[in-house]
Amino acid sequence: MTSVAMEYGIVLAALLFSLGLIGIMLRRNLIFVLLSLEIMLNAAGLAFIVAGARWASTDGQIMFIFILAVAAAEVAVGLALILQHYRRYNTLDADLASKMRG
Amino acid sequence: MYDLLWLIPFFPFLSAILLVVLGSRMPRAVNGAIGAGSIGLSAIITIIIGINFLTSPPEGHSYTQVLWSWIDVGNFTPAISFHLDALSLVMIFVITFVGFLIHLYSTEYMIKDEGYARFFAYMNLFVGAMLVLVLGDNLVLLLLGWEGVGLCSYLLIGFWYKKPENGYAARKAFVVTRVGDIAMLIGIFLLFMHTGTIHIQQILDMAPRIWVEGATIPVAASLLLLGGALGKSAQVPLQVWLPDAMAGPTPTSALIHAATMVTAGVYLIARTHVIFELAPAVMTIVAVIGLVTALIAGFTALTQTDIKRVLAYSTISQIGYMFLALGVGAFAAGMFHFMTHAFFKALLFLGAGAIIHALHEEQNMFRMGGIRKDMPVTFWTFLIGCASLAAIPLVTSGFYSKELILWKSFSSQLGSVWFYIFGALGAFITAVYTFRMVFLVFYGEKKTEISHLPGTRILLTLVVLAFFSTVAGFIELPHTMGDFTLFSNFMASVLPSVPVLEYSLGTEFLLQLIATLLVAVGIYIAYVLYVKNPEAVNNLTASPAGQGVYTFWSIGWGFDWLYDKVFVQPVIFISRINKQDFIDSIYHGIAFATEVLHRLFTKTQTGKVRWYAMVLVAGAIIVITLAVLL
């Protein structure tokens, strides 16, 4: 079985992570913020898988399953919060939820 | 029988607490009964113990009752314990007996005052503290009583607190006496440091064994204790508070500022006389201060117009005589004058109170006059008090005690003829100002109508005190009149009789005759100036020199002015230029910097999630960069 060089996988993960981070910082729509978060989680998961494959270790896959569980939980809580936010402000703009400013 | 000793201070304290807690809920009659009754109970126990002491004295002529241990650290072991001997017995007798009479008088005198219960609470607290002061067998307990009476003096001077000047007088009394108290405190520390004990009797036993006469420690300690005594007893240079203390109710002036508290200094010196005897130079200082005070206060009293201020200056002057007696080593004579003075000065203050009450609260003697027919009992008792103060021979107690002091100041080893001369001059001035007061108040034309005559309780008090002002002198007669020395024999167990130089009876008689003649001349001068020929006084004070002297005397020889310039004004000046308090500005600076930082950092809390994420990323980038680079 020919394998892809590890560097490609890591670069892809870094790209995905950066895209997610930029999405969180720039998008105001909470749905997109949540999506960006998912992308970042998956980037981390990809990095684990690639590293696991490189050193022929199952630890990477175990970690990925953990990440999947965390992501599922995070989406459940995140969607509930977004729903509450929408009910209160009738919008999905994250910047409007700034009542806790100093 | 002596077991009852603790009850003497207990009753006043108990009733003070009762009056503080329940006073305002009880009718006035009950307040008065508790207030005066508690002191009456103490007086009865004192008299029982006194009779016991006279008939079957305890072993060593002293009795110590230890109630409980107060502090116990190393050899610093002050206990709540009372020491009864001849000296403290005389003191507690005067405090409870005269105190009871003054309380009885107050039940009528203060009846219209809204602070009736408060007044008796303070007065009882005072009596309790004063008893602790004279009964305490260690210096710490003595100091507790000492500060306690100072507190009560402050509370009672400022009793009518709604007038700001009364509060000022109260603060002045407190601060001025505090100056002396600090000296006394250091003196107590010094004695404790060098003797290792705080018990007065042990210190007195040890002192002659560990120190020689004139050694540094006893000189320093006695000077420091003297400082405390000067403050409390209103002697030069700390006498300025007493005339202003007359702002308090008149019974307060009688009890605290005439009969008892102001003589605490005399008691302190008599109590620690062993230490003073080891410092002959300090003894001379005591005598000179007493004499100077007696004269300065006497001349000031000559020019006062307020009857209570005359009595205040006369008190300062008479305590000066007591200091003179202590200074020449005639401790028993000083205590004898303390006792007679307590009777006749309390009588004079209470009489003055009755007069002031009768004349619409008028205190200016020049607006009194001609009331002797309308107030015969007050007149005669006041006259007896004045006669005693002026030391009219044979029939007054003041004569015997003052003669004893003058004779001892001449004949004692520590005495000198100058002490006698100036002492006699003081007696002459005393006669002048005393009878000036009598003639101004009771003779001449009536200037203010009498509004209200004193009732039975006031008159009864005056009569009893007048009786004691007369007979209290007969317990100690001079050599020329039978040489009857009951009082000094009684005191001999505590206060040694001073070694005297031998003089013939003729010398003593001659000196007594001179002093008596001076008194007679003084009374005659007062009669001429204030009854026969009042114009003469006006002419005298109108002349430029006379006016200057009059003003100088009437402001109390400028001590208030001097202290204002030397102490009060600089303090006010410094506090004015340091209004911002430069030490505080450091802490203000810290607070200000914190606040600025707080404002700065609250700016970062925008409440926007995206902003937080960006800050997080920026932080992570900085940390990672640092980690990579370093």
Side-chain angles (χ1 to χ4, degrees):
Chain A
M1 190 178 126
T2 55
S3 60
V4 188
M6 188 187 70
E7 285 77 11
Y8 294 115
I10 294 295
V11 168
L12 180 60
L15 279 173
L16 279 173
F17 189 86
S18 306
L19 281 174
L21 201 56
I22 290 165
I24 286 176
M25 288 193 287
L26 297 184
R27 296 305 296 252
R28 290 195 196 170
N29 193 317
L30 276 170
I31 299 284
F32 283 94
V33 171
L34 202 62
L35 275 175
S36 302
L37 264 175
E38 290 299 315
I39 292 170
M40 283 169 75
L41 278 168
N42 281 308
L46 181 61
F48 273 115
I49 294 291
V50 169
R54 165 70 180 75
W55 280 287
S57 160
T58 50
D59 291 355
Q61 293 174 32
I62 292 167
M63 284 309 293
F64 185 68
I65 291 170
F66 273 133
I67 290 173
L68 277 183
V70 169
E74 182 246 323
V75 166
V77 175
L79 280 175
L81 283 172
I82 290 171
L83 215 56
Q84 274 299 319
H85 183 269
Y86 185 75
R87 281 197 187 153
R88 198 154 290 191
Y89 299 102
N90 272 324
T91 169
L92 286 172
D93 190 344
D95 283 1
L96 284 177
S98 63
K99 276 197 173 165
M100 284 179 72
R101 63 178 164 270
Chain B
M1 185 51 69
Y2 295 116
D3 300 345
L4 296 177
L5 188 62
W6 66 278
L7 284 171
I8 298 173
F10 173 74
F11 282 124
F13 280 131
L14 180 71
S15 85
I17 292 170
L18 269 180
L19 287 167
V20 166
V21 178
L22 302 170
S24 52
R25 287 175 215 162
M26 292 188 292
R28 279 172 187 237
V30 180
N31 281 333
I34 292 176
S38 60
I39 312 295
L41 279 174
S42 291
I44 290 168
I45 296 170
T46 306
I47 289 167
I48 292 172
I49 287 181
I51 291 170
N52 218 26
F53 198 94
L54 286 172
T55 50
S56 57
E59 210 176 321
H61 290 272
S62 71
Y63 171 81
T64 306
Q65 183 175 37
V66 181
L67 293 178
W68 67 85
S69 116
W70 181 15
I71 303 170
D72 196 345
V73 183
N75 52 3
F76 182 74
T77 54
I80 305 288
S81 57
F82 297 135
H83 181 82
L84 182 78
D85 57 12
L87 177 59
S88 46
L89 185 63
V90 170
M91 291 295 295
I92 61 173
F93 169 68
V94 170
I95 294 162
T96 55
F97 186 69
V98 177
F100 170 67
L101 290 174
I102 293 170
H103 276 75
L104 185 67
Y105 174 97
S106 312
T107 55
E108 183 184 327
Y109 188 83
M110 299 295 288
I111 195 73
K112 292 207 179 103
D113 199 281
E114 54 181 322
Y116 195 66
R118 187 164 59 94
F119 177 79
F120 279 105
Y122 291 167
M123 290 285 270
N124 285 345
L125 187 63
F126 168 78
V127 173
M130 189 73 203
L131 289 167
V132 168
L133 159 58
V134 296
L135 284 172
D137 93 321
N138 56 68
L139 287 168
V140 182
L141 193 59
L142 186 148
L143 189 74
L144 181 76
W146 186 276
E147 299 298 343
V149 293
L151 167 72
C152 295
S153 163
Y154 165 80
L155 290 171
L156 283 161
I157 295 168
F159 182 73
W160 288 311
Y161 56 85
K162 283 176 186 158
K163 278 170 86 181
E165 58 267 33
N166 294 350
Y168 174 78
R171 285 196 301 280
K172 183 175 177 183
F174 202 72
V175 171
V176 173
T177 50
R178 189 59 61 256
V179 174
D181 291 354
I182 297 294
M184 178 179 157
L185 195 59
I186 299 171
I188 292 175
F189 291 157
L190 196 66
L191 284 175
F192 175 63
M193 198 170 84
H194 286 272
T195 60
T197 175
I198 207 74
H199 295 270
I200 298 169
Q201 299 308 318
Q202 288 176 15
I203 292 175
L204 298 187
D205 285 344
M206 275 167 84
R209 279 185 279 124
I210 56 175
W211 292 314
V212 292
E213 198 172 291
T216 323
I217 298 302
V219 170
S222 54
L223 269 177
L224 289 163
L225 291 180
L226 174 65
L230 293 182
K232 210 52 138 191
S233 290
Q235 298 294 290
V236 171
L238 297 175
Q239 86 285 25
V240 291
W241 64 272
L242 189 58
D244 289 335
M246 296 301 122
T250 306
T252 304
S253 311
L255 178 63
I256 300 183
H257 305 120
T260 53
M261 186 190 83
V262 286
T263 54
V266 180
Y267 167 78
L268 180 71
I269 295 179
R271 177 53 87 201
T272 56
H273 65 93
V274 178
I275 298 164
F276 280 83
E277 280 169 331
L278 288 172
V282 180
M283 292 284 275
T284 311
I285 293 175
V286 173
V288 171
I289 285 179
L291 204 51
V292 167
T293 309
L295 288 174
I296 286 182
F299 280 114
T300 310
L302 269 179
T303 54
Q304 297 300 308
T305 54
D306 182 327
I307 184 168
K308 281 183 75 181
R309 284 180 85 88
V310 174
L311 292 173
Y313 278 110
S314 129
T315 304
I316 298 175
S317 164
Q318 297 306 307
I319 298 171
Y321 276 109
M322 295 176 212
F323 271 67
L324 173 62
L326 298 172
V328 298
F331 301 106
M335 291 314 292
F336 186 42
H337 196 55
F338 150 73
M339 192 180 73
T340 58
H341 175 257
F343 286 124
F344 67 71
K345 191 51 69 65
L347 167 63
L348 285 174
F349 264 113
L350 296 183
I355 295 163
I356 292 166
H357 241 20
L359 299 176
H360 302 280
E361 306 300 321
E362 180 60 68
Q363 299 201 6
N364 187 340
M365 293 190 298
F366 286 91
R367 282 189 230 126
M368 299 175 177
I371 54 172
R372 70 179 185 279
K373 293 261 163 54
D374 301 296
M375 302 173 75
V377 181
T378 313
F379 168 65
W380 283 107
T381 51
F382 199 81
L383 191 64
I384 289 169
C386 282
S388 206
L389 175 58
I392 287 181
L394 303 178
V395 291
T396 65
S397 63
F399 167 74
Y400 294 104
S401 57
K402 204 178 277 180
E403 273 321 303
L404 188 64
I405 290 176
L406 288 178
W407 170 242
K408 294 278 186 184
S409 73
F410 174 74
S411 67
S412 158
Q413 276 181 345
L414 294 159
S416 95
V417 66
W418 293 105
F419 287 167
Y420 174 81
I421 291 172
F422 286 110
L425 178 65
F428 162 73
I429 295 161
T430 309
V432 179
Y433 72 69
T434 307
F435 278 85
R436 169 181 179 262
M437 183 165 65
V438 172
F439 292 135
L440 281 174
V441 172
F442 291 103
Y443 289 79
E445 303 159 22
K446 206 181 263 184
K447 288 164 196 137
T448 309
E449 277 306 313
I450 291 172
S451 59
H452 146 100
L453 285 171
T456 35
R457 268 173 290 175
I458 285 182
L459 295 180
L460 177 73
T461 315
L462 294 180
V463 170
V464 173
L465 280 172
F467 173 73
F468 278 95
S469 297
T470 309
V471 301
F474 297 139
I475 56 174
E476 177 89 14
L477 303 178
H479 306 99
T480 46
M481 296 168 199
D483 194 12
F484 180 67
T485 56
L486 183 69
F487 189 79
S488 23
N489 289 351
F490 177 60
M491 297 303 271
S493 61
V494 190
L495 304 171
S497 51
V498 55
V500 290
L501 309 172
E502 283 303 316
Y503 288 101
S504 65
L505 276 182
T507 321
E508 189 174 350
F509 185 72
L510 185 70
L511 292 181
Q512 281 168 356
L513 198 67
I514 293 171
T516 307
L517 281 175
L518 279 173
V519 168
V521 171
I523 295 171
Y524 181 71
I525 288 176
Y527 174 72
V528 168
L529 290 182
Y530 289 96
V531 178
K532 230 177 154 189
N533 193 5
E535 289 304 306
V537 166
N538 295 336
N539 292 340
L540 208 62
T541 52
S543 69
Q547 206 170 15
V549 170
Y550 182 88
T551 316
F552 183 59
W553 286 353
S554 66
I555 59 168
W557 294 52
F559 276 95
D560 271 330
W561 177 83
L562 184 70
Y563 291 165
D564 188 57
K565 286 276 176 284
V566 176
F567 299 113
V568 179
Q569 294 300 343
V571 168
I572 291 176
F573 175 71
I574 290 169
S575 54
R576 189 167 293 146
I577 56 173
N578 193 24
K579 218 172 191 171
Q580 307 300 329
D581 194 352
F582 84 100
I583 291 175
D584 246 23
S585 62
I586 298 169
Y587 301 103
H588 282 307
I590 293 173
F592 182 72
T594 315
E595 211 173 307
V596 168
L597 286 175
H598 157 78
R599 291 234 177 82
L600 213 65
F601 284 121
T602 47
K603 289 268 188 302
T604 65
Q605 300 291 309
T606 55
K608 291 187 174 131
V609 187
R610 297 188 307 131
W611 165 255
Y612 295 158
M614 273 185 238
V615 173
L616 244 161
V617 170
I621 290 171
I622 291 170
V623 171
I624 290 168
T625 317
L626 284 177
V628 170
L629 288 182
L630 299 179

